[in-house]
Amino acid sequence: MERRRPPLPRFRSPLRGPWLTSVFGAVLLATLPIVIVTGLLSYVAYGPQFGQAIPGDVGLLHLPWFDWPTSPSWLYRLTQGLHVGLGMVLVPVVLAKLWSVAPKLFAWPPVRSPAQALERLSLLLLVGGILFEIVTGLLNIQYDYVFGFSFYAAHYVGAWVFLGAFVAHVALKLPHTARALRSRSLRAELRTSVADTRPEEPDPYGLVAPDPAPPTISRRGVLALVGGGSLLVAALTAGQTVGGPLRGLAVLLPRGRTTAAADGGPNDFPVNKTFAASAIDPALLAGWALELTGGPAPVRLDLATLGAQPLHTATLPIACVEGWSTVQAWTGVRLRDLATLAGVPEPASALVRSLENGPFAQATLTRAQVLHPDALLALGVNGAPLSPDHGYPARVVVPALPGVHNTKWVRAIEFRSP
Amino acid sequence: MLRRRFESLYGAGPAHLAVLLLSLALAGYASSIVAGDPLWPWMAVWFVAAVVGHDGLLSPLAAGIDAVLRRLPRARPTTVNYVRVPALGAALTFLMFLPGIIRQGEPVVRGQSGLDQGPFLGRWLLLVALMVAVSAIVYGVRRFARR
C-alpha cells in the first residue's frame, strides 16, 4: 500500500507532533465553549418567544428558554463582544491547529477501517464547521453579504454542526491530548532555542515527520508567532466594542469609525442603519406623532407633548450582533410612563413599530424590558436632539437589548395586556 | 468475544461508533432547520468551499511560499523568520479584513453605517509596511549586536 502512495505532499517540519497539536487543542478547548455559548445566548437575546429570533424554528437546538435580562445593562455588550472578539482572536489558533495536523489530511492509505472513515467524515464537519463559522462571521461583521443566503440561519446551523463534531472530537481525543501534554514540559519548551529544538518522539498518529528538516524556528517561536497573531487581531478588534478613544484602533473594521462627520458632537457615534437607508419619506417626520395603543382608546402624542412629559436620562449601550457597541447618555420618556399614558400600566409585552419597513422595522419587548426604569423612548442623546441617523424624532433604548431591537424612527407602540 | 469481533470489523470500540453517530445525527438534525430554505445548497457549497479553500488552496500556497523562502541564500537558517512574521501578519489581516480592503459590499456598508470603505486599503498597506519595517529593524539590530 505504501509503495502505491501517490505523490502526496511530504511534511518535514520538525515541530509538528502530538504535544504541539495538544497545546493548540487545549487552548481551543478552553476558549471555544465561550464563543459557542455567547453565540447561543444571542439567539435568546433576540426574543425567540416573540418569533423574532432567526432562524425561527430551531427544534430542540437552543439553550433553555428564559427572558433575556435587563440587568446589567452591559450584558449583551459583554456576551456579543466576547462572541465576536474572542471568535476573531482565536482565528490564528485555529489556523495553527489545522497546520499542526496537516499530515493527517494526506494520510495513506486514506481509509483503514470503517471507524476511521466515520471519523474522517466527522472531521470534515469539524473543520468545515469552524471555517464556515469564521468566514460567515467575518463577512457579516463587515456587512459583506456576498454569500447571498441568510447569515443568521447559516451561522446558527453551522454552529450546531460544528458543536456536534467538536464534542465528538474532544470525547475521542481528550485522553490523547492529556497524555501528549504530559510528554513535554511547557516551561522547558519556552526556554529552548532554535538550535536545541528537536523533533518530538515518533508517534502513532503520523504527526511527527519521519524525515524532519532542520529547525528554522523553535516551539517557543511558533507559540509566540500564534500568540502574537492573536494579540494583533485583538488590538485591531477590541476598539469596536470598548469604544471611546480606543475605537480608532480598529483601523480595518467599519465600526472603528463613528460617523462621516467625525465632529465629536453629541450624535457622533456609530450608526446602525442610516436614515437614507431606511427609505423613510422625510415628509412623514413633519407631522409626526407617536401612537400608543392597547388601552381603552388610542393615544396620540406629538413631539412637543412628548417633550413636556417627565424626562429621564440613562447611560446605556447600543450593542449590536456584529460585536460593536457604544455607550451614550440618552434622554427621553420612560416606556413604563408611556404604558401608563396608554392605559396599560402593567403590560405583558409591547410591540414597537418604526416608520420604516423591512425585517427589523418592529420589535417586541418583554414586560421587564418595558417596565425597567431606564427603558426609554429617547428623544435626545448627550443633551442634543437625536440626529436623523440615530432615529429622530424618537427611538427605543432598553438596557441589555440587542442593538437592532432598539427601534429607531418609532411610529407606534402597542402595549399588550396579560 | 462479541466486543472483539465488533472491534475487528469496525476498527474501534462501540463507544467510538456511538459518539460519531450521535455527532452526525446532530449535524443532520441541525441541517434540517434550513431544509426549507431555497438557498440551503449554497450554504452547503460554502461549507465545502471553506474546507477546500483552506486545505487545497491556502495551506499549499503558504507551504509553497515558505519552501521558496527557506531556499533563499541566507546567513543563518532563522533569517527566514524576519520575512515569515510580517508576511503571516499581512496574510492574516488581509484575509480577515478582506471586504473592507477590496471594497466589497460597499453599498450595504454605506447604508448600515453611513461610511464608505475608502480608508481600509491604505490603512492595511500602512500596517503591512509597519510590520515589515519593525521586522527589518529588529533584524538589523540583532545582526549588528552579533558582530
Side-chain angles (χ1 to χ4, degrees):
Chain A
M1 211 49 182
E2 177 57 27
R3 274 193 303 131
R4 271 184 275 146
R5 188 181 192 275
L8 293 170
R10 300 267 179 191
F11 294 90
R12 295 192 58 208
S13 168
L15 300 182
R16 282 198 187 90
W19 182 82
L20 189 64
T21 293
S22 296
V23 170
F24 296 136
V27 171
L28 294 173
L29 178 59
T31 48
L32 276 179
I34 301 173
V35 181
I36 295 168
V37 170
T38 49
L40 295 176
L41 282 174
S42 182
Y43 186 82
V44 177
Y46 265 65
Q49 70 270 43
F50 303 122
Q52 54 191 6
I54 313 167
D57 182 8
V58 294
L60 302 169
L61 301 185
H62 56 78
L63 294 182
W65 296 137
F66 60 95
D67 274 3
W68 186 248
T70 49
S71 173
S73 67
W74 40 263
L75 182 63
Y76 191 69
R77 187 175 185 225
L78 175 74
T79 59
Q80 199 56 17
L82 265 180
H83 179 69
V84 173
L86 186 56
M88 290 176 72
V89 162
L90 291 179
V91 168
V93 186
V94 169
L95 294 177
K97 174 76 164 65
L98 291 178
W99 171 84
S100 78
V101 294
K104 304 263 296 181
L105 183 63
F106 299 99
W108 192 263
V111 173
R112 289 167 204 268
S113 66
Q116 205 207 357
L118 209 55
E119 195 165 332
R120 295 200 80 167
L121 178 62
S122 175
L123 288 172
L124 172 70
L125 300 182
L126 182 77
V127 176
I130 191 80
L131 292 174
F132 183 80
E133 293 300 276
I134 288 173
V135 169
T136 52
L138 281 172
L139 288 172
N140 184 65
I141 68 158
Q142 296 172 83
Y143 307 97
D144 184 352
Y145 301 115
V146 62
F147 40 77
F149 44 75
S150 160
F151 163 74
Y152 286 95
H155 201 68
Y156 197 81
V157 170
W160 283 99
V161 170
F162 171 73
L163 180 54
F166 180 56
V167 170
H169 190 62
V170 171
L172 297 180
K173 298 295 185 191
L174 195 58
H176 302 264
T177 309
R179 203 177 312 132
L181 284 176
R182 283 194 298 269
S183 73
R184 297 176 97 81
S185 147
L186 176 64
R187 198 171 294 182
E189 286 304 331
L190 292 181
R191 286 199 223 101
T192 305
S193 66
V194 183
D196 295 330
T197 298
R198 303 282 176 272
E200 291 185 38
E201 298 299 308
D203 67 325
Y205 314 108
L207 295 175
V208 178
D211 171 28
T216 56
I217 188 169
S218 60
R219 287 188 186 82
R220 166 178 71 184
V222 166
L223 295 180
L225 185 64
V226 177
S230 287
L231 281 179
L232 173 67
V233 175
L236 291 171
T237 306
Q240 75 156 355
T241 307
V242 179
L246 289 184
R247 183 174 303 283
L249 280 180
V251 288
L252 298 177
L253 281 173
R255 298 313 184 171
R257 291 192 285 169
T258 52
T259 59
D263 55 5
N267 275 281
D268 186 24
F269 55 93
V271 170
N272 186 27
K273 195 167 193 178
T274 61
F275 181 68
S278 74
I280 296 170
D281 178 3
L284 286 176
L285 301 183
W288 180 85
L290 175 70
E291 187 174 277
L292 303 176
T293 58
V299 177
R300 283 178 68 85
L301 302 166
D302 62 19
L303 192 53
T305 316
L306 262 179
Q309 302 297 315
L311 298 181
H312 176 67
T313 298
T315 301
L316 295 175
I318 296 286
C320 284
V321 72
E322 298 92 8
W324 67 273
S325 51
T326 179
V327 181
Q328 305 296 336
W330 308 90
T331 300
V333 185
R334 285 186 165 118
L335 291 179
R336 65 182 189 191
D337 291 349
L338 292 176
T340 305
L341 280 173
V344 194
E346 297 282 324
S349 64
L351 173 66
V352 182
R353 291 178 198 274
S354 172
L355 289 169
E356 67 164 334
N357 295 305
F360 290 111
Q362 59 178 55
T364 304
L365 306 176
T366 64
R367 172 189 168 84
Q369 285 164 346
V370 175
L371 296 182
H372 192 282
D374 281 344
L376 301 177
L377 182 73
L379 307 173
V381 63
N382 302 319
L386 295 173
S387 70
D389 281 346
H390 283 307
Y392 175 88
R395 76 170 299 170
V396 164
V397 187
V398 169
L401 188 66
V404 76
H405 286 162
N406 290 295
T407 308
K408 301 200 288 190
W409 313 294
V410 172
R411 169 168 64 86
I413 305 175
E414 180 190 333
F415 294 100
R416 292 172 168 174
S417 301
Chain B
M1 188 63 201
L2 196 65
R3 189 186 164 95
R4 198 163 300 164
R5 199 178 147 76
F6 176 88
E7 280 174 13
S8 72
L9 277 175
Y10 173 64
H16 184 276
L17 178 65
V19 163
L20 287 177
L21 285 182
L22 272 174
S23 93
L24 294 179
L26 176 60
Y29 181 66
S31 304
S32 74
I33 292 174
V34 288
D37 189 322
L39 291 176
W40 76 260
W42 280 111
M43 298 181 194
V45 165
W46 274 70
F47 192 95
V48 174
V51 180
V52 174
H54 176 272
D55 291 351
L57 200 69
L58 292 177
S59 299
L61 186 70
I65 294 173
D66 197 63
V68 172
L69 282 181
R70 273 181 281 129
R71 280 194 210 100
L72 289 178
R74 62 194 184 250
R76 293 154 54 90
T78 52
T79 311
V80 69
N81 292 324
Y82 295 97
V83 182
R84 271 180 182 158
V85 172
L88 283 172
L92 179 72
T93 47
F94 181 74
L95 289 174
M96 289 186 73
F97 304 103
L98 185 68
I101 294 169
I102 64 169
R103 299 184 85 155
Q104 184 167 265
E106 185 152 43
V108 182
V109 175
R110 205 183 284 276
Q112 283 295 315
S113 67
L115 296 160
D116 63 7
Q117 295 171 315
F120 296 127
L121 174 62
R123 288 173 173 188
W124 178 71
L125 290 173
L126 212 63
L127 181 70
V128 173
L130 195 71
M131 290 190 286
V132 170
V134 169
S135 185
I137 290 168
V138 173
Y139 175 72
V141 168
R142 288 200 179 160
R143 236 189 118 101
F144 184 76
R146 218 171 275 132
R147 279 195 185 151

